[in-house]
């Protein structure tokens, strides 16, 4: 297999040295082969190391059609569950800092029922829900179920939220790790109660704008949609091409803004977000720049949570056996995946961050594309780390 012409796929202006193309040739080959095997039609990618962006590029097209637009390094994607860290967890981290500064914004041990009374109203006195705290939702150990097609019966935002609030818990809080979209839907709503405003407005003002994340937003305007790769040809719910609107059906019914999904972003924005995490970890913001997140807050949110054996931290995931991060990211790394084929991993010890954005679910959610992306991610991350 021949490798694509690298100058056309890698943004040389973002390379730290003139040998960047050669350095990352193996990593780029992984992605090129992934496109050839139809793991995804196109992708954008970027790497931060040593405080700099050392690689930023793109390859492939929006779809498998020869005349489809080419993906560019700045192409905006539906980042699916990466929303959980880039928006919801980021806001929770800010509110946690406010709380530790005695401004009373968000205590991780606040019972969810204190913020969302309907979560406990109507349940028996000893029901597990009364013991669920904000930290349990963040850690995916609340006992909430993993994924529920709430959109099948609930077709308005209010109806879907009520259905989510009334879901029975399947385990005692803190006793079982179960990655839970419903849990993050409730977390997003709890944050809205704590802040007194919609999640997307708070995130835009307090996270995206201060960091200069110019293309990161929920609900892209209709005029922007054609510049975003489509995620699916939906034949079962919306019965149309899904492009520039959230793919996740529960988030769609919630109006496109939710704690678990709905954010759109691009590689340069997510690299900037990752750099801010690394800046806070290093705690060297300097006199003219205070990091958005303090090292103490990052340490709190990066710490693995119960039960024993779970890779989940607070909002973030951490490397585990057969992790998508590959074999070189240290134990002291945080990251997250997105169903659409996106990922972000940050190695706090090595000061390295890698972002990969794809639309691997186009044109449908085949098992084959799911299997392929599970192979591509660790191979790409390993090749990047070997290049560094």
């Amino acid at each position: 297999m021949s490798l694509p012409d690298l100058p056309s796929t890698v943004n040389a202006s973002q390379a730290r040295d003139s040998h960047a193309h050669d350095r990352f040739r193996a990593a780029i080959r992984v992605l090129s082969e992934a496109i050839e095997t139809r793991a995804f039609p196109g992708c954008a990618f970027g790497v931060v190391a040593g405080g700099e962006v050392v690689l930023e590029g793109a390859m492939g097209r929006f779809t498998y059609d020869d005349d489809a637009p080419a993906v560019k390094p700045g192409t905006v994607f539906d980042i699916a569950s990466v929303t959980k860290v880039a928006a919801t967890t980021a806001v929770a981290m800010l509110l946690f800092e406010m709380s530790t500064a005695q401004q009373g914004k968000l205590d991780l041990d606040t019972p969810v029922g204190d913020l969302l009374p309907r979560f406990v109203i109507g349940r028996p006195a000893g029901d597990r829900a009364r013991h669920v705290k904000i930290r349990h939702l963040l850690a995916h150990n609340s006992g909430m179920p993993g994924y529920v097609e709430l959109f099948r019966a609930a077709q308005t935002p209010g109806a879907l939220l009520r259905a989510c609030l009334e879901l029975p818990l399947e385990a005692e809080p803190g006793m079982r790790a179960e990655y839970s979209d419903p849990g993050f839907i409730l977390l997003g709503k709890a944050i809205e109660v704590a802040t007194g405003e919609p999640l997307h407005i708070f995130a835009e003002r307090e996270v995206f704008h201060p960091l200069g994340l110019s293309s990161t937003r929920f609900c892209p305007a209709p005029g922007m949609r054609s510049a975003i790769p489509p995620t699916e040809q939906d034949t079962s719910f919306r019965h149309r091409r899904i492009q520039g609107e959230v793919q996740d059906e529960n988030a769609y019914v919630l109006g496109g803004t939710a704690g678990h999904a709905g954010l759109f972003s691009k590689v340069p924005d997510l690299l900037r977000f990752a750099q801010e995490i690394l800046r806070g970890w290093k705690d060297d913001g300097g006199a003219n720049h205070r990091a958005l997140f303090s090292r103490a807050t990052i340490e709190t949110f990066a710490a693995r949570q119960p039960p024993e054996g779970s890779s989940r931290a607070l909002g973030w995931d951490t490397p585990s056996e057969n992790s998508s991060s590959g074999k070189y990211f240290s134990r002291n790394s945080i990251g997250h995946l997105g169903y659409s084929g996106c990922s972000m991993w940050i190695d706090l010890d090595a000061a390295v961050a890698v972002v990969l954005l794809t639309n691997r679910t186009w044109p449908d959610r085949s098992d084959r594309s799911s299997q392929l992306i599970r192979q591509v991610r660790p191979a790409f991350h390993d090749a990047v780390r070997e290049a560094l």
Side-chain angles (χ1 to χ4, degrees):
M1 189 209 78
S2 62
L3 191 64
D5 179 40
L6 294 186
S8 69
T9 60
V10 179
N11 184 352
S13 67
Q14 296 297 323
R16 184 170 56 180
D17 58 67
S18 60
H19 304 295
H21 297 165
D22 289 335
R23 289 175 67 200
F24 293 102
R25 181 172 290 270
I28 294 168
R29 181 177 292 111
V30 169
L31 300 180
S32 176
E33 292 175 348
I35 291 172
E36 285 201 355
T37 58
R38 294 203 166 201
F40 41 76
C43 64
F45 50 91
V47 179
V48 163
E52 300 178 18
V53 175
V54 296
L55 179 69
E56 196 173 87
M59 63 177 64
R61 298 184 178 277
F62 280 27
T63 70
Y64 294 110
D65 297 329
D66 291 339
D67 59 350
V71 178
K72 300 177 181 179
T75 294
V76 172
F77 283 79
D78 177 348
I79 65 170
S81 283
V82 179
T83 301
K84 290 182 174 73
V85 291
T88 313
T89 300
V91 169
M93 291 169 73
L94 285 182
L95 297 178
F96 173 77
E97 291 206 357
M98 293 178 183
S99 181
T100 57
Q102 281 137 15
Q103 297 178 43
K105 277 291 184 184
L106 187 69
D107 186 331
L108 296 179
D109 290 315
T110 298
V112 173
D114 286 3
L115 296 171
L116 302 173
R118 195 181 181 95
F119 186 60
V120 296
I121 289 174
R123 299 181 189 259
D127 192 273
R128 296 162 170 166
R130 298 180 182 275
H131 305 290
V132 176
K133 300 175 180 179
I134 293 297
R135 70 168 63 249
H136 292 133
L137 297 181
L138 280 161
H140 295 282
N141 63 8
S142 66
M144 293 283 287
Y147 175 72
V148 183
E149 291 186 338
L150 298 168
F151 62 91
R152 295 294 183 190
Q155 297 179 4
T156 67
L160 194 141
L161 178 58
R162 285 193 298 274
C164 192
L165 286 164
E166 294 169 0
L167 286 171
L169 270 67
E170 299 176 347
E172 292 291 338
M175 299 303 292
R176 185 189 76 174
E178 177 75 20
Y179 179 75
S180 175
D181 273 1
F184 256 73
I185 290 174
L186 295 187
L187 177 62
K189 291 300 177 181
I191 286 174
E192 290 186 345
V193 173
T195 60
E197 60 185 317
L199 175 66
H200 69 282
I201 292 177
F202 188 92
E204 166 67 29
R205 187 183 66 247
E206 302 295 338
V207 180
F208 308 154
H209 181 71
L211 295 183
L213 311 187
S214 60
S215 298
T216 301
R217 58 174 57 84
F218 291 89
C219 301
M224 297 177 58
R225 292 178 181 176
S226 63
I228 298 171
T231 49
E232 185 175 2
Q233 191 66 50
D234 185 354
T235 60
S236 65
F237 182 57
R238 280 170 275 184
H239 302 282
R240 64 172 183 266
R241 177 185 175 114
I242 307 303
Q243 182 171 15
E245 58 181 327
V246 63
Q247 180 183 23
D248 182 274
E249 293 92 346
N250 287 331
Y252 170 74
V253 173
L254 287 168
T257 302
H260 70 298
L263 196 65
F264 288 75
S265 191
K266 62 184 181 181
V267 166
D269 281 9
L270 292 174
L271 289 179
R272 195 169 294 120
F273 175 77
Q275 285 178 297
E276 188 69 10
I277 296 286
L278 291 171
R279 183 179 291 114
W281 179 257
K282 194 174 181 182
D283 198 26
D284 67 346
N288 297 320
H289 181 87
R290 178 185 176 276
L292 198 61
F293 310 105
S294 69
R295 182 180 177 110
T297 292
I298 297 168
E299 286 179 334
T300 296
F301 279 74
R304 283 189 176 180
Q305 300 297 301
E308 184 70 28
S310 173
S311 65
R312 297 289 167 183
L314 293 177
W316 298 91
D317 199 7
T318 65
S320 59
E321 188 176 359
N322 299 319
S323 173
S324 69
S325 64
K327 59 189 177 184
Y328 296 117
F329 274 75
S330 73
R331 166 66 180 78
N332 199 26
S333 299
I334 55 177
H336 212 283
L337 307 181
Y339 184 75
S340 56
C342 301
S343 61
M344 174 169 59
W345 280 101
I346 306 169
D347 191 325
L348 299 171
D349 287 342
V352 169
V354 182
V355 172
L356 174 64
L357 303 184
T358 85
N359 58 333
R360 68 99 190 160
T361 54
W362 178 264
D364 55 46
R365 310 179 188 193
S366 70
D367 290 339
R368 182 177 180 276
S369 72
S370 178
Q371 293 167 2
L372 288 172
I373 196 68
R374 285 199 292 267
Q375 298 169 18
V376 171
R377 282 168 171 151
F380 173 64
H381 291 129
D382 285 350
V384 166
R385 294 304 298 268
E386 287 167 359
L388 293 173

